[in-house]
Amino acid sequence: MVTALETLIEALKRLPGVGQKSAQRMAYHLLQHDRDGAARLSLALRAAAEQIGHCRRCHTFSETEICSICADVSRDPALLCVVESPADQAALERTNSYRGYYFVLLGRVSPLDGVGTAQIGAAELLLRAAETGVAEVILACSFTAEGEATAHVLGEALRSRGIRATRLARGVPVGSELEYVDLGTIAHALVDRR
Amino acid sequence: MVTALETLIEALKRLPGVGQKSAQRMAYHLLQHDRDGAARLSLALRAAAEQIGHCRRCHTFSETEICSICADVSRDPALLCVVESPADQAALERTNSYRGYYFVLLGRVSPLDGVGTAQIGAAELLLRAAETGVAEVILACSFTAEGEATAHVLGEALRSRGIRATRLARGVPVGSELEYVDLGTIAHALVDRR
Ligand SMILES: [Zn+2]
Ligand SMILES: [Zn+2]
């Protein structure tokens, strides 16, 4: 018989970075010391799954059809920044040094995992980049092997359509995920984009 | 405005060992790659909070009034093992070298945190240990300062009532939490209890 406790431990193991031991510790902690926290987390998970979809325009997480950034007419329509994930987008936003719009890939090209350009919305990006007013697409993919491959493929496609495509300057440490880079480095790399 | 995403990140931070960065990563992961996992975790948390209470006899987590161990008449009623948590109890069970019953304190004496003998059910333990047939109480508290203090206080109280109280042998590494000790060490310490 699978108990409610075992079911909870299995469900916690679906979280990234959580193995058997951590999941067990989390479950015991919630049951023994923080039942209110367990209830809150249960509701928050359900609400998030129900309410959070993707912006129709830039694909980032959004509770509205068009996200607040895409809906912000005070931004610079000449710049379109391509990032791999909403987390990377959030990191760029926190630098306060970018005022254009975004396109969120929700992934990166990874042939071994069966992720090609179709899965990251390359066609939608090309349509978006071809809109009147877009002068430059900044490819802010991570400087990992897969991120570089993604930027390369997208850069080629954009340039073949006559759209200027740039890359963040290599101030960003090679091999690192953008999300974990300090804000000053990101801001500097943004200015030095090439 | 607090969004569903921010609420989810805050709720994930209530999990032990999860800070802002991990919580954000978990939330993004669930929303982007594992919405089914988010739904399962939401349900599992609610079910656990609703269904899991405490065994009336030994205080461990249980979905029934009396847990399956307390209800198992094939166990040795002469032995009563006192542990700090259901996690420690689970570790002892996994050694397959203990066949008595348990009493789960759900804590340890910690004067600085306002946790005294009343909060860990010492009175209920003394009643349970005084039942006919109990020949020995094994104090399997952790070998930390607080665990030692708890074992000392409980040992004194039991002995003053003429009940034999033993402690796990010091094969268990000093300063460690029982839950994380390898099974062989626990099994050995159980045999060498003094
Ligand atoms: Zn958007
Ligand atoms: Zn019980």
Side-chain angles (χ1 to χ4, degrees):
Chain A
M1 197 194 88
V2 178
T3 65
L5 181 59
E6 287 159 355
T7 305
L8 176 57
I9 291 170
E10 284 308 307
L12 285 164
K13 280 163 68 179
R14 298 275 284 256
L15 294 170
V18 176
Q20 176 70 27
K21 282 274 179 191
S22 316
Q24 195 179 308
R25 194 170 180 79
M26 286 171 174
Y28 284 137
H29 173 82
L30 290 173
L31 288 169
Q32 198 165 326
H33 302 293
D34 194 13
R35 291 203 175 220
D36 175 57
R40 271 169 204 265
L41 182 53
S42 173
L43 289 175
L45 284 161
R46 204 176 59 191
E50 281 169 4
Q51 292 164 27
I52 303 176
H54 294 283
C55 170
R56 216 175 52 185
R57 196 160 164 74
C58 74
H59 296 185
T60 198
F61 293 138
S62 176
E63 290 170 50
T64 49
E65 206 177 3
I66 300 294
C67 75
S68 58
I69 291 177
C70 287
D72 179 358
V73 294
S74 74
R75 291 202 164 231
D76 183 355
L79 293 176
L80 184 65
C81 183
V82 175
V83 290
E84 291 175 4
S85 69
D88 289 347
Q89 179 187 24
L92 276 162
E93 281 297 289
R94 283 197 300 274
T95 68
N96 281 319
S97 56
Y98 178 68
R99 291 295 302 162
Y101 292 97
Y102 291 94
F103 188 90
V104 181
L105 300 174
L106 297 172
R108 43 194 169 188
V109 169
S110 175
L112 292 178
D113 301 317
V115 179
T117 48
Q119 281 72 41
I120 59 172
E124 290 92 333
L125 167 62
L126 293 174
L127 279 175
R128 173 72 181 84
E131 284 180 19
T132 320
V134 177
E136 176 184 349
V137 175
I138 305 169
L139 297 166
C141 305
S142 292
F143 284 99
T144 58
E146 290 177 349
E148 295 274 20
T150 306
H152 179 76
V153 158
L154 297 176
E156 294 285 295
L158 289 161
R159 285 181 206 107
S160 78
R161 282 158 182 79
I163 302 163
R164 184 173 177 227
T166 57
R167 192 95 172 82
L168 289 190
R170 283 199 178 271
V172 176
V174 173
S176 63
E177 310 253 7
L178 204 61
E179 182 183 353
Y180 298 106
V181 173
D182 72 283
L183 306 186
T185 305
I186 296 180
H188 202 259
L190 201 56
V191 173
D192 286 350
R193 68 183 181 271
R194 51 185 177 77
Chain B
M1 196 193 86
V2 177
T3 66
L5 181 59
E6 286 160 357
T7 305
L8 175 58
I9 291 170
E10 284 308 307
L12 285 164
K13 280 164 68 180
R14 298 274 285 257
L15 294 171
V18 176
Q20 176 69 28
K21 281 273 179 192
S22 315
Q24 195 180 307
R25 193 168 183 78
M26 286 171 174
Y28 285 137
H29 173 82
L30 290 173
L31 289 169
Q32 199 165 326
H33 303 292
D34 195 14
R35 293 206 171 216
D36 175 56
R40 270 168 205 265
L41 182 53
S42 173
L43 289 174
L45 284 161
R46 203 176 60 190
E50 281 170 4
Q51 292 165 26
I52 302 176
H54 294 284
C55 171
R56 215 175 53 183
R57 195 159 165 73
C58 75
H59 296 187
T60 197
F61 294 138
S62 178
E63 289 168 50
T64 48
E65 205 177 3
I66 301 294
C67 76
S68 58
I69 291 177
C70 287
D72 179 357
V73 294
S74 74
R75 290 199 164 234
D76 183 355
L79 294 176
L80 184 65
C81 184
V82 175
V83 290
E84 291 174 3
S85 69
D88 289 348
Q89 179 188 23
L92 276 162
E93 281 297 290
R94 284 197 299 274
T95 69
N96 280 319
S97 56
Y98 178 68
R99 290 295 302 164
Y101 292 97
Y102 290 92
F103 189 90
V104 182
L105 300 175
L106 297 173
R108 43 192 170 188
V109 169
S110 175
L112 293 177
D113 301 317
V115 179
T117 49
Q119 281 72 41
I120 59 172
E124 290 92 333
L125 168 62
L126 293 174
L127 279 175
R128 174 72 181 83
E131 283 181 19
T132 320
V134 176
E136 177 184 350
V137 175
I138 304 168
L139 297 165
C141 306
S142 292
F143 285 98
T144 57
E146 290 177 349
E148 294 274 20
T150 305
H152 180 76
V153 159
L154 297 176
E156 294 285 297
L158 288 162
R159 285 182 207 106
S160 77
R161 281 159 182 79
I163 301 162
R164 184 173 178 228
T166 56
R167 192 98 169 80
L168 288 190
R170 283 202 177 270
V172 177
V174 172
S176 62
E177 309 251 7
L178 205 60
E179 183 184 351
Y180 297 106
V181 174
D182 71 283
L183 306 186
T185 305
I186 296 180
H188 202 259
L190 200 56
V191 172
D192 285 351
R193 67 183 182 272
R194 51 186 177 76

